[in-house]
Structures are given as C-alpha cells and as structure tokens.
Amino acid sequence: MGRKSLYLLIAGVFVAYYIYIPLPDNLEEPGRMMWVNTYMKTFAHLATFIELLGLHHFMETFMIFMSFDEAPPTSDENVTVTETQFNNIPVRVYVPKKKSEALRRGLFYIHGGGWCLGSAALRAYDLQSRWTAERLDAVVVSTNYRLAPKYHFPIQFEDVYNALQWFLRKEVLAKYGVNPERIGISGDSAGGNLAAAVTQQLVDDPDVKTKLKIQVLIYPALQPLDFDLPSYRENSHFPILSKSLMVRFWSEYFTTNRSLEKAMLSSQHIPVEYSHLFKFVNWSSLLPEKFAKGHVYNNPIYGSPELARKYPGFLDVRAAPLLADDSKLRGLPLTYVITCQYDVLRDDGVMYVTRLQNAGVRVTHNHIEDGFHGAFSILDFKISSRIMNQYIIWLRENL
C-alpha cells in the first residue's frame, strides 16, 4: 500500500469515526440522523473553541450560525405574514387569505431553543406556522422573546406572558378576526416549558378575561430538579440534545455562572430545605411501568443552599411547571402532550401527563416510539411531517 493510500485510509477511518453513532433499530432515517448530528456537532465544537478563546459565548456563536437559516416574513398565495409587536414583544402573525364567514381559531406559538437560541423567523418555525394557519384556517401568532445569555429568567417568561396577554385583548382578537372561545397555546422544548408556565399563570390572572381552550406541549422541558430520570440515563448521549447540553441550557436560563451547571450535572444543586419539591418530580411514582422498567430510583443528593439563594429561579414554578401543586393544575385546559422515546426530556412530559390526569385535567398523550428531540421542528426528517399531521388533526378536532 502506497503512502498516499495509507493517508487516505487513515483519513477515512477518522471521518467514519466522527460521523458514525450507534442508533436504535426503529429509527426511520439513521443515515440522515448521522449527518444532522455531524453538522450540529461540528458547529458545537467550533462554538466551544471560540468560547475557549474568549471571543464569544457558546450560545451567541450558535445563534449566529442559526441566523443564516431565517426566513423573511413573506406572504404567499395562501397566508398573509406580517411582523409586528405585541406589548413591545416582536411577533409574526400568520392570517389565511381565504375569506371566512365565521371568526377563526387562534393559536399562540412559542419556539424552542433552550431559552438561548431560536426565533420565530427560523425556516422550520416559519413553515410550520404557515402550514398551521392554512390547514387549520387559524390565525397563528409566533412570538419571540429575549434570550440567554444576555437575559435570564424571568425575562423569557415575562416576555411571552406579556405578548400573550396582548393577543388575548378583546380589540386585538377583533382586529385579527379570532374567536375568543377558540384560542390555544403551543410550544416545543423550551417553548413547551414557557407554554405550560404561562398557561398556569393565566388561570390565576383575574385581569385576563379571555382564557385558553387548549394547550399543546411538544417534548417540553418542565423541571431542573432531577437529571437522573430514566430518559436522561437512556438518552444521555443521543444526537441533537444530550444530557450535558440540556443541563447547560437550564443553567444558562438562570445564570452564566458555570458553577450552577456543574452542580446540576452532579445533581447537587437542590438544598435540603427544598426536599419537599421532589414529590412533584418523583419518577418512581409518576412514570408508567413501560418508562420506569429496569431503572432504580436514587434518593436525591442535597447540596449547598448558596446556589438556591443566588439563583432562586430554578425552584420557581414559572420556570419549572412540574412544581405546581394540584390545586393549580386542576384549572388547566384540555391538553395535548407529545413525547419522544429517544429524548432526555421524555419523562418530563410523561410525568406531567400523569400529574394532569391525577388532577382531573383531560389529556391526550401522543408518545412517538421512534421519535427524538427535534422530530417536530427539524423538517429534514420524514417523521416531522407525520407528527405535524397528527398535531393538525388534534387541533382541528379540539380547538
């Protein structure tokens, strides 16, 4: 074998090692998953390197990369798209062009991205909002909100809540021709977190007269107390959203101080005086057997109260909707929860389904056995259109 051939062989081995990852047998497009993972992993490595050089924060670099995938607010033959502000929060509004004799449904959508990334302008969210508006004959409001690391909790929550309150005003609904009795909220990942949190807040807000008919939570992040759930154990290194990346997102939501991230990774961030909160996220009692099977519950390891004093947000129900007590859950609207088998956040959603059902809330749980985090919003995968169709059908029947 010549030297050139040897070099090519070595290079090929390294490329294959970098690209290849073991994947479950029931994953529909393993090759595409490997390429998407390689793409994201490469950008993550580059963002990490830039951060180590002290040039940019990891999330800021990633946001720059993502901005190249944004779509302009261009209307098409079916939907009118406009950018405006609801209570000083930038939003995109999608209105079907075909005339409607009756008032339309309204859907308030919140994008994901770990409270650090993303926008309503991203190509995937723009396309999904167009499809939803057209196929559901609904007015879709896709909201932005300020992001970490520049802004921390509760800014993201407050931005979304303020935009939602504005949308629910009588004169705003009348302007867009929305039926005040047919309004829903939806969000994926961190957007699912914010959707759950503002829906809980709305129940107790006497100043908001128009209430939500439904909420849709798509693989939502709902608690930062326990990162030792079966879904975190099983999917800790799964593509797109690993355990370490999800923990970083959670910690960045509250602070750029990496000591919180370190404590979260070792499950030593909850002080003993907050031990009572674990009853709301105890997976040994909240997960059905199919999700808990083969796993043993580990009792919490309590840490110093210093982090909780500095960053109390991670113990706040507005950041962790699973911490809501049953009295708050009882007033919630009809709920649709999508979870994916290969997702660290799977058990957050499953536990919320259990808690909502125990509180008497009507819930539809759509668990995607071959699904993964991002399956709804990464349109390159065939599974995305399947989940989107199920989502539209449920909305059409219930909103």
Side-chain angles (χ1 to χ4, degrees):
M1 180 183 292
R3 182 174 294 180
K4 186 176 180 179
S5 298
L6 179 61
Y7 290 158
L8 286 173
L9 177 62
I10 293 172
V13 170
F14 275 113
V15 169
Y17 177 78
Y18 187 74
I19 293 175
Y20 177 78
I21 46 172
L23 293 169
D25 292 338
N26 66 335
L27 212 61
E28 187 175 9
E29 299 174 281
R32 189 177 295 275
M33 172 62 82
M34 289 185 196
W35 280 113
V36 169
N37 181 63
T38 301
Y39 170 83
M40 296 185 68
K41 184 167 60 174
T42 301
F43 280 130
H45 289 161
L46 183 57
T48 300
F49 180 66
I50 291 172
E51 185 174 54
L52 289 172
L53 292 177
L55 300 177
H56 269 296
H57 188 282
F58 176 90
M59 297 298 177
E60 292 173 339
T61 302
F62 228 104
M63 192 63 182
I64 293 171
F65 295 148
M66 294 180 72
S67 67
F68 291 105
D69 196 34
E70 291 185 347
T74 306
S75 301
D76 57 34
E77 65 273 16
N78 298 312
V79 178
T80 299
V81 183
T82 57
E83 287 188 331
T84 185
Q85 292 190 346
F86 282 4
N87 208 7
N88 297 317
I89 308 301
V91 300
R92 281 194 180 192
V93 183
Y94 299 79
V95 181
K97 283 188 174 180
K98 66 180 180 182
K99 292 185 178 181
S100 176
E101 296 181 1
L103 293 175
R104 288 188 164 98
R105 304 172 174 96
L107 186 69
F108 187 88
Y109 194 85
I110 311 163
H111 71 79
W115 310 278
C116 302
L117 307 171
S119 79
L122 285 178
R123 180 179 63 93
Y125 291 122
D126 178 69
L127 286 172
Q128 285 174 338
S129 294
R130 292 172 188 270
W131 294 339
T132 304
E134 179 187 356
R135 295 170 62 184
L136 200 61
D137 191 27
V139 174
V140 176
V141 175
S142 185
T143 190
N144 285 300
Y145 48 92
R146 286 172 288 178
L147 301 170
K150 188 174 181 180
Y151 302 98
H152 299 292
F153 175 84
I155 294 297
Q156 291 85 340
F157 170 88
E158 291 173 347
D159 282 358
V160 171
Y161 195 67
N162 288 337
L164 177 61
Q165 284 180 307
W166 188 269
F167 179 49
L168 294 177
R169 292 172 59 174
K170 185 177 179 180
E171 62 271 26
V172 176
L173 296 177
K175 175 183 175 181
Y176 291 105
V178 174
N179 185 336
E181 296 182 356
R182 302 184 75 181
I183 301 172
I185 191 169
S186 179
D188 68 292
S189 194
N193 165 281
L194 292 164
V198 298
T199 302
Q200 289 182 3
Q201 182 86 354
L202 198 66
V203 169
D204 298 326
D205 191 337
D207 296 327
V208 180
K209 305 304 180 185
T210 302
K211 302 299 182 181
L212 298 173
K213 184 178 181 182
I214 59 102
Q215 64 171 336
V216 178
L217 311 178
I218 304 164
Y219 36 73
L222 297 171
Q223 59 84 31
L225 273 71
D226 189 354
F227 296 107
D228 192 38
L229 306 176
S231 58
Y232 273 99
R233 296 176 187 175
E234 295 169 10
N235 303 297
S236 60
H237 299 290
F238 203 84
I240 301 176
L241 186 65
S242 64
K243 175 180 177 177
S244 60
L245 180 57
M246 189 62 233
V247 169
R248 174 115 196 227
F249 279 140
W250 269 116
S251 67
E252 292 287 348
Y253 191 21
F254 307 110
T255 176
T256 53
N257 185 341
R258 301 292 294 275
S259 63
L260 178 58
E261 177 190 357
K262 183 179 178 181
M264 284 179 164
L265 279 170
S266 60
S267 297
Q268 297 182 25
H269 57 297
I270 308 298
V272 67
E273 52 264 43
Y274 290 95
S275 60
H276 62 283
L277 294 178
F278 279 100
K279 67 183 179 183
F280 297 124
V281 298
N282 187 329
W283 63 261
S284 66
S285 61
L286 294 172
L287 288 183
E289 176 63 20
K290 67 173 290 188
F291 299 108
K293 188 177 181 180
H295 294 277
V296 177
Y297 182 77
N298 294 324
N299 290 321
I301 303 171
Y302 300 109
S304 165
E306 181 182 356
L307 289 172
R309 283 198 296 265
K310 284 184 178 180
Y311 315 113
F314 66 83
L315 300 170
D316 192 314
V317 68
R318 295 173 300 167
L322 256 173
L323 300 185
D325 58 35
D326 288 349
S327 62
K328 180 180 284 286
L329 298 182
R330 288 189 191 103
L332 294 176
L334 175 65
T335 301
Y336 181 55
V337 179
I338 297 175
T339 57
C340 292
Q341 181 66 20
Y342 306 114
D343 181 5
V344 293
L345 297 180
R346 179 194 71 202
D347 294 346
D348 280 24
V350 175
M351 289 194 295
Y352 202 46
V353 168
T354 300
R355 292 209 54 218
L356 290 173
Q357 290 173 336
N358 291 344
V361 178
R362 290 188 299 147
V363 184
T364 299
H365 180 202
N366 182 10
H367 181 66
I368 314 297
E369 291 289 350
D370 59 343
F372 50 87
H373 196 86
F376 178 78
S377 57
I378 302 178
L379 304 182
D380 298 325
F381 291 99
K382 294 177 183 177
I383 193 174
S384 175
S385 60
R386 173 165 36 111
I387 299 174
M388 183 69 179
N389 288 336
Q390 295 168 350
Y391 170 78
I392 294 293
I393 290 170
W394 190 89
L395 287 173
R396 188 178 291 131
E397 292 175 352
N398 294 280
L399 181 57

